[in-house]
Amino acid sequence: MNRLIDKTAIFLICIIGIVMSDSFYSPVLAAVMTVIISSSAQLLTGTAAASVLIAVSSLLCGFFPLAFCSVPLLLYDALWEKKWWLTLPAAAVIPNIDALKPEQLILTTVGTVIAVIIYLRVSHLEETVKTLTLLRDEAAGKNLLLSEQNISLAEAQDNEIHIATLKERNRIAREIHDNVGHMLTRSLLQSGALLVINKDENLREPLESLRNTLDSAMTSIRESVHDLHDDSIDLEKVLRESIASVDHRFTVDLDCDIGENVAGNIKLCIIGIVKEGLSNAVKHSSGDHISITVREHPAFYQLMLTDNGSCSEIKESGIGLKNMRDRAEALKGVITFTPSDNGFRIFMSIPKSLPH
């Protein structure tokens, strides 16, 4: 738009020079030619056709002297083509320079200077705009990269907090088991010994009550330690550790998309079946790739383990498959084993809400 406005101003200068002619038809022809040539040159900017058009139009001044008044506009277009010398053929007007009035020559010269000044101003402005646009795009790109890095950092921090929490739960569970559990066990043994050697019937009932209380406390502590230990299991970490121990002839892919609030018995079931499945693949599969997918759905958990080894049949009597089936059925889950020429697949689903 800026270029069009500037060309309009230069064209007005050219028109003033053109209309100074004493002829009637020549100025009209020169004005129409100027508009057509300049518009075509702008539409063809950056092409060889634009350069040829400017050069031919400049050469035309030798045959049609009045066209020399349009040189400022031709020069402006040539400058945008980075080829100012395309207007040099306009010097062909020199033999017929007498056909132009001194005022026309002066106005054309002034118009040429103005065209150069306007070009320098507009080109500098456009370069500045390009530079600012580039800086803006770079800033936007850096902001996007920084945002992604912040998200990654936040996720890493959350993961570190989660791991630290799991370690703390494990530590607390060990402390309770090693200290409180042992003291309660010793107290239970002592209360039992007191009941055996006690001869006073009046003390028997209080001692039995004490032993029952200690036994209830021991049961409660045992359940708490068990829950703490189960909650502290990082399912994905344990699965990756199991994968790391697989024979190197296999490549193993793990896709684990499961929440943190998963019951410990479900985690242990998945871990046990994956370990058994990996062991069976190493022992019996002729393939070289294993895929493990663990998914959490709104109503159930899903596990799929496949390898690409050829397998036409399986022996359901195998102890490994029986152990996997027992693990799944203990949680009211369903597990299937599918052999084929393309590989062996283990598929299991466990409901979130166990049926009564």
Side-chain angles (χ1 to χ4, degrees):
M1 178 60 75
N2 289 333
R3 184 176 174 183
L4 183 60
I5 293 173
D6 293 338
K7 288 184 70 172
T8 301
I10 298 171
F11 176 70
L12 291 176
I13 297 174
C14 295
I15 285 295
I16 294 174
I18 290 172
V19 298
M20 288 182 179
S21 174
D22 295 331
S23 174
F24 176 77
Y25 296 105
S26 295
V28 175
L29 179 60
V32 172
M33 288 176 54
T34 300
V35 172
I36 293 174
I37 293 170
S38 182
S39 300
S40 301
Q42 181 163 342
L43 289 174
L44 299 171
T45 296
T47 66
S51 299
V52 171
L53 182 61
I54 295 171
V56 171
S57 301
S58 299
L59 185 61
L60 186 63
C61 295
F63 305 96
F64 186 36
L66 192 57
F68 185 74
C69 294
S70 64
V71 165
L73 200 55
L74 291 175
L75 177 61
Y76 187 76
D77 288 324
L79 288 171
W80 281 105
E81 295 295 322
K82 310 298 182 184
K83 300 174 182 177
W84 61 269
W85 41 266
L86 291 174
T87 58
L88 291 179
V93 75
I94 294 175
N96 301 318
I97 197 71
D98 294 337
L100 297 174
K101 296 179 180 180
E103 293 84 354
Q104 289 176 309
L105 296 175
I106 293 172
L107 197 59
T108 300
T109 303
V110 172
T112 301
V113 173
I114 292 175
V116 173
I117 294 173
I118 290 177
Y119 167 75
L120 293 175
R121 179 185 66 83
V122 174
S123 61
H124 177 70
L125 178 62
E126 290 197 356
E127 286 296 324
T128 302
V129 170
K130 288 181 181 179
T131 302
L132 291 176
T133 302
L134 181 61
L135 290 174
R136 182 198 63 189
D137 293 343
E138 288 181 354
K142 289 180 179 179
N143 286 336
L144 181 60
L145 180 60
L146 182 60
S147 177
E148 293 175 350
Q149 289 176 342
N150 287 338
I151 293 174
S152 299
L153 181 60
E155 291 176 350
Q157 290 176 338
D158 291 342
N159 188 50
E160 290 178 0
I161 293 173
H162 178 60
I163 293 174
T165 302
L166 297 182
K167 289 182 178 179
E168 182 63 15
R169 286 179 178 176
N170 265 330
R171 187 191 66 79
I172 293 172
R174 285 196 302 270
E175 290 291 332
I176 294 175
H177 178 271
D178 294 342
N179 296 321
V180 180
H182 289 169
M183 287 189 290
L184 284 174
T185 301
R186 187 164 62 250
S187 298
L188 276 169
L189 292 174
Q190 290 173 347
S191 63
L194 288 174
L195 276 171
V196 172
I197 64 176
N198 176 56
K199 304 299 183 181
D200 189 345
E201 291 298 326
N202 293 328
L203 293 177
R204 178 169 294 280
E205 184 176 346
L207 287 174
E208 287 182 350
S209 176
L210 174 62
R211 187 180 64 176
N212 290 336
T213 301
L214 290 172
D215 187 56
S216 298
M218 187 64 183
T219 301
S220 178
I221 288 293
R222 187 180 295 112
E223 291 176 351
S224 297
V225 170
H226 186 268
D227 291 341
L228 278 173
H229 177 264
D230 288 349
D231 288 342
S232 67
I233 298 174
D234 188 331
L235 180 60
E236 184 172 356
K237 180 181 178 182
V238 175
L239 292 179
R240 293 198 180 279
E241 290 175 351
S242 301
I243 290 172
S245 63
V246 174
D247 192 308
H248 291 303
R249 74 182 170 93
F250 285 95
T251 58
V252 185
D253 293 332
L254 173 63
D255 182 4
C256 185
D257 183 10
I258 194 168
E260 297 178 2
N261 300 320
V262 182
N265 55 353
I266 293 177
K267 291 181 182 178
L268 293 174
C269 174
I270 293 173
I271 292 169
I273 290 177
V274 168
K275 287 184 176 181
E276 188 68 40
L278 291 174
S279 176
N280 286 347
V282 171
K283 292 178 182 177
H284 307 295
S285 176
S286 59
D288 59 4
H289 181 264
I290 301 173
S291 175
I292 304 171
T293 303
V294 182
R295 286 275 189 275
E296 179 178 359
H297 298 280
F300 59 92
Y301 300 100
Q302 186 182 78
L303 165 67
M304 184 167 65
L305 189 151
T306 61
D307 68 70
N308 61 348
S310 177
C311 180
S312 58
E313 61 178 353
I314 57 173
K315 295 181 179 180
E316 288 281 353
S317 59
I319 189 169
L321 299 184
K322 183 177 183 304
N323 285 340
M324 286 190 276
R325 190 178 298 281
D326 290 343
R327 286 179 182 274
E329 291 177 351
L331 298 176
K332 307 301 180 184
V334 177
I335 188 168
T336 59
F337 309 104
T338 308
S340 72
D341 293 337
N342 297 323
F344 182 74
R345 186 183 74 172
I346 301 171
F347 185 88
M348 178 185 70
S349 63
I350 301 175
K352 285 188 175 181
S353 299
L354 299 182
H356 297 290

